[in-house]
Amino acid sequence: MEPLTPLVVAAQAGDRDAFTRLVARTSDAALAQARRTLGDAALAEDVVQDAMLDAYLRLGQLEEPAAFVGWLRRVVHKHADRRLRKRRERPAEVEAATRAPSAEELAAQAERQASVHAALDGLPEHEREAVALHYLAELPVREVAGALDASESAVKKRLWSARRRLREPAERMPRPAVATRVALFLAIRAGDVAATKGLLAEAPGLLAAPERWSDDEAFAAGTTLAHGLTPLVLAARRGDLAMVDTLLAAGASPAGMCACDAGETAVWAAFRGGHHAVAARLLERAPELADRPAGPAGWTCRDLARWRRDPALLALLGETGEPAPAPGPSPWPRAGRLETGLKAVDLWAPLHAGDLVRVHGAAETGLMVLLAELSRVVAAAGGVPVWVPFATHAWQRGELAEVAATYGLDGTVRIAPEGQLDAARSMARAARETAFTAVFVFEREGHRAQVDASLPGLREDADLVVRVRPWAAVTKGELAPPAHAGADVDLVTSPELAAAGVWPAIDPERSRRRSEGEGALAPRARAALAGPAREGLLAYLRQPFEVCAPDTGRPGEHVPRATLEADVARLLA
């Protein structure tokens, strides 16, 4: 781990990247300290933001760089204590803070915070700096003037101008064309009909435009990657009937296809996600699309309805009768090794009941497909998969529900309320009385400490816990350490294998149990990858997944462990 003292010295010399790394190294501890003092997670996050800004501005006053950690603790304490004093001065706020907020209040609070930060980011730099120092760091105008090397009257003018800008309606503020495109798709993801109408009034040409922005722009803005979806295809994929009606009323064509290679239409996306009302509405407008092939495998809506085994979707196409249930593997045991039937998992990183599994990798390596298939296997073996999402923006809410629907798991996976790990524990505890339970925690930045604190309880209440790296780390392809404290298994996807078309792209070097044993098959297979057996072994490990049958045109495979071991031993011989 990078030493702190050289980072402090570099940051004092003006290296902003060094200070960013300092924040990354110390923010979890600072957040834990603020939470202990305040007893309020949201206030603690605000205090840490204020403290980090204060630390940045006053870093030059620290005479001994090696004392940075203790110095930062005092800065955090100062800001937390200031918040506590304000609470005491206003009893009504104390009462409101001690009352447990409702889900609606938490959502509204998150919305307000996101809106405020977005609005501040839109200010000119000289105004943004003045606002941050005066309102966030709570410095008097005199000190702000000194920090910015400006007169007090100039600072007051900047603050006045910033307040005026922030009072302006968002639609009157200038917005670059790319930002408008991104804003439209984020509004659709958030289900914000009013914002969507306003953005289309501003730029009607975006009605048929696909998502198209660079990965770098997505990283910088913290948004989703662009996948070439049009507004109507995206709304249909999310099953948002109100948004679909809004876009149709604005002139969107049901026959319009996404800009991806698959050529998906909105009705095809609705059938794949099992969104009955949206599928019915779009078929009313364009019944001829029901049997038009689309998607990578050229499946029709009828093929999708049969794959989902959905009698309601089949009824929309004039078919009746109950589809046959899908066959499943043997129930999973509550102790010992688990047979997933996924060859690369069972070979490189075999799972055991009671494990904590850490999953990480890069974007575009099939990470979400792997997790979806693993969840499907849990359910097929009579178990209950529970997904725990986190959302810091409105457009992120419902992401996992959309993923579950896309992979045909919406009737299978149980999704906990956003960020509520205690609720996930309760769901797992209740299901565990009769079934094997697996909890999948999809982290977001800023929630690491919260997840860390909840892991012991989750492991107590679930038979398997799977922890998935935050979106930003996955999307940027940042490599995690090969092992994690407390994790029994690392399951990692490989950009190299993905680029070579080896699916599932499970990295054989970094995917492993913490202790495999000298006589285990996996080490022998890893060693063979350096020799002539490599191509044959990788070809054998290729495996179609049931959750992406609409993309491959092939049904999923389940390979018993005994078959896997015999086949690999034969290949190695």
PDB file of all heavy atoms in Angstrom, residues 166-197:
ATOM      1  N   LEU A 166     -28.196  29.753  -9.254  1.00  0.00           N
ATOM      2  CA  LEU A 166     -28.789  28.566  -8.657  1.00  0.00           C
ATOM      3  C   LEU A 166     -30.296  28.676  -8.527  1.00  0.00           C
ATOM      4  O   LEU A 166     -30.993  27.665  -8.429  1.00  0.00           O
ATOM      5  CB  LEU A 166     -28.164  28.306  -7.281  1.00  0.00           C
ATOM      6  CG  LEU A 166     -26.693  27.890  -7.306  1.00  0.00           C
ATOM      7  CD1 LEU A 166     -26.126  27.840  -5.897  1.00  0.00           C
ATOM      8  CD2 LEU A 166     -26.505  26.550  -8.000  1.00  0.00           C
ATOM      9  N   ARG A 167     -30.814  29.913  -8.517  1.00  0.00           N
ATOM     10  CA  ARG A 167     -32.266  30.093  -8.445  1.00  0.00           C
ATOM     11  C   ARG A 167     -32.927  29.938  -9.802  1.00  0.00           C
ATOM     12  O   ARG A 167     -34.134  29.776  -9.898  1.00  0.00           O
ATOM     13  CB  ARG A 167     -32.603  31.479  -7.869  1.00  0.00           C
ATOM     14  CG  ARG A 167     -32.444  31.569  -6.356  1.00  0.00           C
ATOM     15  CD  ARG A 167     -33.135  32.806  -5.815  1.00  0.00           C
ATOM     16  NE  ARG A 167     -32.532  34.022  -6.326  1.00  0.00           N
ATOM     17  CZ  ARG A 167     -31.572  34.707  -5.673  1.00  0.00           C
ATOM     18  NH1 ARG A 167     -31.134  34.267  -4.508  1.00  0.00           N
ATOM     19  NH2 ARG A 167     -31.076  35.797  -6.184  1.00  0.00           N
ATOM     20  N   GLU A 168     -32.147  30.010 -10.884  1.00  0.00           N
ATOM     21  CA  GLU A 168     -32.723  29.905 -12.223  1.00  0.00           C
ATOM     22  C   GLU A 168     -33.244  28.486 -12.450  1.00  0.00           C
ATOM     23  O   GLU A 168     -32.627  27.518 -12.027  1.00  0.00           O
ATOM     24  CB  GLU A 168     -31.676  30.220 -13.291  1.00  0.00           C
ATOM     25  CG  GLU A 168     -31.249  31.685 -13.318  1.00  0.00           C
ATOM     26  CD  GLU A 168     -30.201  31.928 -14.396  1.00  0.00           C
ATOM     27  OE1 GLU A 168     -29.770  30.943 -15.018  1.00  0.00           O
ATOM     28  OE2 GLU A 168     -29.837  33.089 -14.604  1.00  0.00           O
ATOM     29  N   PRO A 169     -34.376  28.338 -13.138  1.00  0.00           N
ATOM     30  CA  PRO A 169     -34.839  26.982 -13.499  1.00  0.00           C
ATOM     31  C   PRO A 169     -33.797  26.270 -14.339  1.00  0.00           C
ATOM     32  O   PRO A 169     -33.099  26.877 -15.140  1.00  0.00           O
ATOM     33  CB  PRO A 169     -36.123  27.243 -14.310  1.00  0.00           C
ATOM     34  CG  PRO A 169     -36.553  28.629 -13.911  1.00  0.00           C
ATOM     35  CD  PRO A 169     -35.295  29.384 -13.595  1.00  0.00           C
ATOM     36  N   ALA A 170     -33.676  24.963 -14.116  1.00  0.00           N
ATOM     37  CA  ALA A 170     -32.647  24.178 -14.807  1.00  0.00           C
ATOM     38  C   ALA A 170     -32.780  24.268 -16.324  1.00  0.00           C
ATOM     39  O   ALA A 170     -31.788  24.308 -17.045  1.00  0.00           O
ATOM     40  CB  ALA A 170     -32.728  22.718 -14.366  1.00  0.00           C
ATOM     41  N   GLU A 171     -34.028  24.356 -16.825  1.00  0.00           N
ATOM     42  CA  GLU A 171     -34.193  24.348 -18.271  1.00  0.00           C
ATOM     43  C   GLU A 171     -33.723  25.637 -18.921  1.00  0.00           C
ATOM     44  O   GLU A 171     -33.524  25.692 -20.139  1.00  0.00           O
ATOM     45  CB  GLU A 171     -35.653  24.077 -18.652  1.00  0.00           C
ATOM     46  CG  GLU A 171     -36.644  25.093 -18.124  1.00  0.00           C
ATOM     47  CD  GLU A 171     -37.210  24.683 -16.781  1.00  0.00           C
ATOM     48  OE1 GLU A 171     -36.554  23.861 -16.109  1.00  0.00           O
ATOM     49  OE2 GLU A 171     -38.288  25.171 -16.429  1.00  0.00           O
ATOM     50  N   ARG A 172     -33.522  26.731 -18.112  1.00  0.00           N
ATOM     51  CA  ARG A 172     -33.064  27.986 -18.686  1.00  0.00           C
ATOM     52  C   ARG A 172     -31.554  28.090 -18.689  1.00  0.00           C
ATOM     53  O   ARG A 172     -30.991  29.015 -19.248  1.00  0.00           O
ATOM     54  CB  ARG A 172     -33.662  29.157 -17.894  1.00  0.00           C
ATOM     55  CG  ARG A 172     -35.152  29.333 -18.137  1.00  0.00           C
ATOM     56  CD  ARG A 172     -35.768  30.294 -17.164  1.00  0.00           C
ATOM     57  NE  ARG A 172     -35.056  31.559 -17.119  1.00  0.00           N
ATOM     58  CZ  ARG A 172     -35.258  32.492 -16.190  1.00  0.00           C
ATOM     59  NH1 ARG A 172     -36.132  32.275 -15.223  1.00  0.00           N
ATOM     60  NH2 ARG A 172     -34.578  33.617 -16.206  1.00  0.00           N
ATOM     61  N   MET A 173     -30.879  27.161 -18.018  1.00  0.00           N
ATOM     62  CA  MET A 173     -29.423  27.198 -17.984  1.00  0.00           C
ATOM     63  C   MET A 173     -28.878  26.572 -19.262  1.00  0.00           C
ATOM     64  O   MET A 173     -29.385  25.570 -19.742  1.00  0.00           O
ATOM     65  CB  MET A 173     -28.897  26.458 -16.754  1.00  0.00           C
ATOM     66  CG  MET A 173     -29.328  27.088 -15.444  1.00  0.00           C
ATOM     67  SD  MET A 173     -28.652  26.224 -14.012  1.00  0.00           S
ATOM     68  CE  MET A 173     -26.929  26.712 -14.151  1.00  0.00           C
ATOM     69  N   PRO A 174     -27.830  27.151 -19.860  1.00  0.00           N
ATOM     70  CA  PRO A 174     -27.276  26.596 -21.100  1.00  0.00           C
ATOM     71  C   PRO A 174     -26.719  25.202 -20.849  1.00  0.00           C
ATOM     72  O   PRO A 174     -26.166  24.908 -19.790  1.00  0.00           O
ATOM     73  CB  PRO A 174     -26.157  27.583 -21.449  1.00  0.00           C
ATOM     74  CG  PRO A 174     -25.813  28.255 -20.167  1.00  0.00           C
ATOM     75  CD  PRO A 174     -27.100  28.326 -19.394  1.00  0.00           C
ATOM     76  N   ARG A 175     -26.882  24.326 -21.820  1.00  0.00           N
ATOM     77  CA  ARG A 175     -26.416  22.955 -21.678  1.00  0.00           C
ATOM     78  C   ARG A 175     -25.831  22.495 -23.008  1.00  0.00           C
ATOM     79  O   ARG A 175     -26.485  22.625 -24.037  1.00  0.00           O
ATOM     80  CB  ARG A 175     -27.593  22.050 -21.303  1.00  0.00           C
ATOM     81  CG  ARG A 175     -27.193  20.613 -20.993  1.00  0.00           C
ATOM     82  CD  ARG A 175     -28.398  19.727 -20.772  1.00  0.00           C
ATOM     83  NE  ARG A 175     -29.109  20.053 -19.564  1.00  0.00           N
ATOM     84  CZ  ARG A 175     -30.300  20.653 -19.550  1.00  0.00           C
ATOM     85  NH1 ARG A 175     -30.871  21.005 -20.681  1.00  0.00           N
ATOM     86  NH2 ARG A 175     -30.905  20.916 -18.414  1.00  0.00           N
ATOM     87  N   PRO A 176     -24.608  21.984 -23.018  1.00  0.00           N
ATOM     88  CA  PRO A 176     -24.023  21.512 -24.273  1.00  0.00           C
ATOM     89  C   PRO A 176     -24.846  20.377 -24.866  1.00  0.00           C
ATOM     90  O   PRO A 176     -25.569  19.678 -24.162  1.00  0.00           O
ATOM     91  CB  PRO A 176     -22.629  21.017 -23.852  1.00  0.00           C
ATOM     92  CG  PRO A 176     -22.378  21.619 -22.501  1.00  0.00           C
ATOM     93  CD  PRO A 176     -23.721  21.826 -21.882  1.00  0.00           C
ATOM     94  N   ALA A 177     -24.704  20.158 -26.163  1.00  0.00           N
ATOM     95  CA  ALA A 177     -25.512  19.142 -26.849  1.00  0.00           C
ATOM     96  C   ALA A 177     -25.285  17.751 -26.261  1.00  0.00           C
ATOM     97  O   ALA A 177     -26.221  17.005 -26.048  1.00  0.00           O
ATOM     98  CB  ALA A 177     -25.185  19.144 -28.340  1.00  0.00           C
ATOM     99  N   VAL A 178     -24.034  17.403 -25.975  1.00  0.00           N
ATOM    100  CA  VAL A 178     -23.752  16.080 -25.423  1.00  0.00           C
ATOM    101  C   VAL A 178     -24.411  15.937 -24.063  1.00  0.00           C
ATOM    102  O   VAL A 178     -25.002  14.916 -23.731  1.00  0.00           O
ATOM    103  CB  VAL A 178     -22.235  15.853 -25.331  1.00  0.00           C
ATOM    104  CG1 VAL A 178     -21.935  14.576 -24.568  1.00  0.00           C
ATOM    105  CG2 VAL A 178     -21.633  15.772 -26.731  1.00  0.00           C
ATOM    106  N   ALA A 179     -24.330  17.000 -23.238  1.00  0.00           N
ATOM    107  CA  ALA A 179     -24.944  16.935 -21.920  1.00  0.00           C
ATOM    108  C   ALA A 179     -26.453  16.760 -22.029  1.00  0.00           C
ATOM    109  O   ALA A 179     -27.071  16.084 -21.215  1.00  0.00           O
ATOM    110  CB  ALA A 179     -24.617  18.189 -21.115  1.00  0.00           C
ATOM    111  N   THR A 180     -27.076  17.389 -23.018  1.00  0.00           N
ATOM    112  CA  THR A 180     -28.513  17.247 -23.206  1.00  0.00           C
ATOM    113  C   THR A 180     -28.861  15.796 -23.532  1.00  0.00           C
ATOM    114  O   THR A 180     -29.826  15.245 -23.017  1.00  0.00           O
ATOM    115  CB  THR A 180     -29.001  18.165 -24.346  1.00  0.00           C
ATOM    116  OG1 THR A 180     -28.648  19.504 -24.030  1.00  0.00           O
ATOM    117  CG2 THR A 180     -30.502  18.063 -24.530  1.00  0.00           C
ATOM    118  N   ARG A 181     -28.071  15.187 -24.397  1.00  0.00           N
ATOM    119  CA  ARG A 181     -28.300  13.779 -24.750  1.00  0.00           C
ATOM    120  C   ARG A 181     -28.184  12.893 -23.512  1.00  0.00           C
ATOM    121  O   ARG A 181     -29.043  12.046 -23.261  1.00  0.00           O
ATOM    122  CB  ARG A 181     -27.293  13.341 -25.810  1.00  0.00           C
ATOM    123  CG  ARG A 181     -27.486  11.902 -26.312  1.00  0.00           C
ATOM    124  CD  ARG A 181     -26.320  11.469 -27.173  1.00  0.00           C
ATOM    125  NE  ARG A 181     -26.224  12.250 -28.378  1.00  0.00           N
ATOM    126  CZ  ARG A 181     -26.581  11.824 -29.592  1.00  0.00           C
ATOM    127  NH1 ARG A 181     -27.073  10.619 -29.731  1.00  0.00           N
ATOM    128  NH2 ARG A 181     -26.433  12.585 -30.649  1.00  0.00           N
ATOM    129  N   VAL A 182     -27.118  13.100 -22.731  1.00  0.00           N
ATOM    130  CA  VAL A 182     -26.935  12.303 -21.520  1.00  0.00           C
ATOM    131  C   VAL A 182     -28.085  12.547 -20.548  1.00  0.00           C
ATOM    132  O   VAL A 182     -28.643  11.617 -19.973  1.00  0.00           O
ATOM    133  CB  VAL A 182     -25.586  12.629 -20.852  1.00  0.00           C
ATOM    134  CG1 VAL A 182     -25.463  11.902 -19.519  1.00  0.00           C
ATOM    135  CG2 VAL A 182     -24.430  12.245 -21.760  1.00  0.00           C
ATOM    136  N   ALA A 183     -28.459  13.829 -20.391  1.00  0.00           N
ATOM    137  CA  ALA A 183     -29.540  14.179 -19.454  1.00  0.00           C
ATOM    138  C   ALA A 183     -30.845  13.501 -19.851  1.00  0.00           C
ATOM    139  O   ALA A 183     -31.610  13.063 -18.990  1.00  0.00           O
ATOM    140  CB  ALA A 183     -29.721  15.693 -19.406  1.00  0.00           C
ATOM    141  N   LEU A 184     -31.115  13.413 -21.146  1.00  0.00           N
ATOM    142  CA  LEU A 184     -32.353  12.777 -21.606  1.00  0.00           C
ATOM    143  C   LEU A 184     -32.376  11.305 -21.195  1.00  0.00           C
ATOM    144  O   LEU A 184     -33.378  10.822 -20.637  1.00  0.00           O
ATOM    145  CB  LEU A 184     -32.483  12.898 -23.124  1.00  0.00           C
ATOM    146  CG  LEU A 184     -33.653  12.121 -23.738  1.00  0.00           C
ATOM    147  CD1 LEU A 184     -34.981  12.661 -23.237  1.00  0.00           C
ATOM    148  CD2 LEU A 184     -33.597  12.153 -25.263  1.00  0.00           C
ATOM    149  N   PHE A 185     -31.293  10.590 -21.436  1.00  0.00           N
ATOM    150  CA  PHE A 185     -31.284   9.161 -21.118  1.00  0.00           C
ATOM    151  C   PHE A 185     -31.292   8.920 -19.610  1.00  0.00           C
ATOM    152  O   PHE A 185     -31.887   7.943 -19.140  1.00  0.00           O
ATOM    153  CB  PHE A 185     -30.096   8.475 -21.790  1.00  0.00           C
ATOM    154  CG  PHE A 185     -30.324   8.235 -23.269  1.00  0.00           C
ATOM    155  CD1 PHE A 185     -29.821   9.108 -24.218  1.00  0.00           C
ATOM    156  CD2 PHE A 185     -31.073   7.157 -23.696  1.00  0.00           C
ATOM    157  CE1 PHE A 185     -30.049   8.909 -25.570  1.00  0.00           C
ATOM    158  CE2 PHE A 185     -31.315   6.942 -25.041  1.00  0.00           C
ATOM    159  CZ  PHE A 185     -30.803   7.817 -25.991  1.00  0.00           C
ATOM    160  N   LEU A 186     -30.666   9.812 -18.855  1.00  0.00           N
ATOM    161  CA  LEU A 186     -30.720   9.661 -17.402  1.00  0.00           C
ATOM    162  C   LEU A 186     -32.126   9.956 -16.886  1.00  0.00           C
ATOM    163  O   LEU A 186     -32.593   9.326 -15.939  1.00  0.00           O
ATOM    164  CB  LEU A 186     -29.706  10.582 -16.728  1.00  0.00           C
ATOM    165  CG  LEU A 186     -28.231  10.266 -17.023  1.00  0.00           C
ATOM    166  CD1 LEU A 186     -27.329  11.138 -16.156  1.00  0.00           C
ATOM    167  CD2 LEU A 186     -27.913   8.797 -16.802  1.00  0.00           C
ATOM    168  N   ALA A 187     -32.818  10.928 -17.511  1.00  0.00           N
ATOM    169  CA  ALA A 187     -34.202  11.224 -17.111  1.00  0.00           C
ATOM    170  C   ALA A 187     -35.105  10.025 -17.400  1.00  0.00           C
ATOM    171  O   ALA A 187     -35.998   9.700 -16.612  1.00  0.00           O
ATOM    172  CB  ALA A 187     -34.705  12.463 -17.844  1.00  0.00           C
ATOM    173  N   ILE A 188     -34.875   9.358 -18.527  1.00  0.00           N
ATOM    174  CA  ILE A 188     -35.675   8.168 -18.856  1.00  0.00           C
ATOM    175  C   ILE A 188     -35.389   7.066 -17.845  1.00  0.00           C
ATOM    176  O   ILE A 188     -36.308   6.395 -17.360  1.00  0.00           O
ATOM    177  CB  ILE A 188     -35.375   7.705 -20.289  1.00  0.00           C
ATOM    178  CG1 ILE A 188     -35.873   8.755 -21.299  1.00  0.00           C
ATOM    179  CG2 ILE A 188     -36.042   6.352 -20.575  1.00  0.00           C
ATOM    180  CD1 ILE A 188     -35.432   8.499 -22.720  1.00  0.00           C
ATOM    181  N   ARG A 189     -34.125   6.883 -17.489  1.00  0.00           N
ATOM    182  CA  ARG A 189     -33.789   5.864 -16.497  1.00  0.00           C
ATOM    183  C   ARG A 189     -34.404   6.184 -15.142  1.00  0.00           C
ATOM    184  O   ARG A 189     -34.765   5.289 -14.388  1.00  0.00           O
ATOM    185  CB  ARG A 189     -32.268   5.750 -16.364  1.00  0.00           C
ATOM    186  CG  ARG A 189     -31.596   5.124 -17.572  1.00  0.00           C
ATOM    187  CD  ARG A 189     -30.090   5.031 -17.395  1.00  0.00           C
ATOM    188  NE  ARG A 189     -29.470   4.471 -18.602  1.00  0.00           N
ATOM    189  CZ  ARG A 189     -29.393   3.184 -18.886  1.00  0.00           C
ATOM    190  NH1 ARG A 189     -29.894   2.313 -18.036  1.00  0.00           N
ATOM    191  NH2 ARG A 189     -28.835   2.768 -20.002  1.00  0.00           N
ATOM    192  N   ALA A 190     -34.508   7.467 -14.832  1.00  0.00           N
ATOM    193  CA  ALA A 190     -35.097   7.879 -13.555  1.00  0.00           C
ATOM    194  C   ALA A 190     -36.617   7.873 -13.591  1.00  0.00           C
ATOM    195  O   ALA A 190     -37.259   8.087 -12.567  1.00  0.00           O
ATOM    196  CB  ALA A 190     -34.598   9.264 -13.172  1.00  0.00           C
ATOM    197  N   GLY A 191     -37.217   7.658 -14.771  1.00  0.00           N
ATOM    198  CA  GLY A 191     -38.670   7.687 -14.895  1.00  0.00           C
ATOM    199  C   GLY A 191     -39.243   9.086 -14.760  1.00  0.00           C
ATOM    200  O   GLY A 191     -40.408   9.251 -14.396  1.00  0.00           O
ATOM    201  N   ASP A 192     -38.451  10.106 -15.065  1.00  0.00           N
ATOM    202  CA  ASP A 192     -38.866  11.506 -14.911  1.00  0.00           C
ATOM    203  C   ASP A 192     -39.525  11.980 -16.208  1.00  0.00           C
ATOM    204  O   ASP A 192     -38.864  12.478 -17.124  1.00  0.00           O
ATOM    205  CB  ASP A 192     -37.646  12.364 -14.569  1.00  0.00           C
ATOM    206  CG  ASP A 192     -38.027  13.768 -14.113  1.00  0.00           C
ATOM    207  OD1 ASP A 192     -39.108  14.235 -14.495  1.00  0.00           O
ATOM    208  OD2 ASP A 192     -37.228  14.382 -13.381  1.00  0.00           O
ATOM    209  N   VAL A 193     -40.844  11.855 -16.261  1.00  0.00           N
ATOM    210  CA  VAL A 193     -41.590  12.210 -17.473  1.00  0.00           C
ATOM    211  C   VAL A 193     -41.487  13.706 -17.749  1.00  0.00           C
ATOM    212  O   VAL A 193     -41.299  14.135 -18.900  1.00  0.00           O
ATOM    213  CB  VAL A 193     -43.058  11.770 -17.342  1.00  0.00           C
ATOM    214  CG1 VAL A 193     -43.904  12.365 -18.463  1.00  0.00           C
ATOM    215  CG2 VAL A 193     -43.156  10.247 -17.372  1.00  0.00           C
ATOM    216  N   ALA A 194     -41.613  14.535 -16.720  1.00  0.00           N
ATOM    217  CA  ALA A 194     -41.583  15.987 -16.907  1.00  0.00           C
ATOM    218  C   ALA A 194     -40.242  16.435 -17.487  1.00  0.00           C
ATOM    219  O   ALA A 194     -40.193  17.241 -18.430  1.00  0.00           O
ATOM    220  CB  ALA A 194     -41.861  16.696 -15.586  1.00  0.00           C
ATOM    221  N   ALA A 195     -39.148  15.914 -16.923  1.00  0.00           N
ATOM    222  CA  ALA A 195     -37.826  16.286 -17.433  1.00  0.00           C
ATOM    223  C   ALA A 195     -37.635  15.798 -18.864  1.00  0.00           C
ATOM    224  O   ALA A 195     -37.056  16.499 -19.703  1.00  0.00           O
ATOM    225  CB  ALA A 195     -36.736  15.716 -16.528  1.00  0.00           C
ATOM    226  N   THR A 196     -38.154  14.613 -19.161  1.00  0.00           N
ATOM    227  CA  THR A 196     -38.041  14.075 -20.522  1.00  0.00           C
ATOM    228  C   THR A 196     -38.767  14.968 -21.519  1.00  0.00           C
ATOM    229  O   THR A 196     -38.235  15.287 -22.601  1.00  0.00           O
ATOM    230  CB  THR A 196     -38.609  12.648 -20.570  1.00  0.00           C
ATOM    231  OG1 THR A 196     -37.868  11.814 -19.670  1.00  0.00           O
ATOM    232  CG2 THR A 196     -38.526  12.072 -21.971  1.00  0.00           C
ATOM    233  N   LYS A 197     -39.966  15.393 -21.167  1.00  0.00           N
ATOM    234  CA  LYS A 197     -40.707  16.293 -22.061  1.00  0.00           C
ATOM    235  C   LYS A 197     -39.947  17.596 -22.281  1.00  0.00           C
ATOM    236  O   LYS A 197     -39.867  18.101 -23.410  1.00  0.00           O
ATOM    237  CB  LYS A 197     -42.092  16.580 -21.478  1.00  0.00           C
ATOM    238  CG  LYS A 197     -43.048  15.404 -21.532  1.00  0.00           C
ATOM    239  CD  LYS A 197     -44.396  15.789 -20.924  1.00  0.00           C
ATOM    240  CE  LYS A 197     -45.409  14.649 -21.011  1.00  0.00           C
ATOM    241  NZ  LYS A 197     -46.693  15.007 -20.374  1.00  0.00           N
TER     242      LYS A 197
END
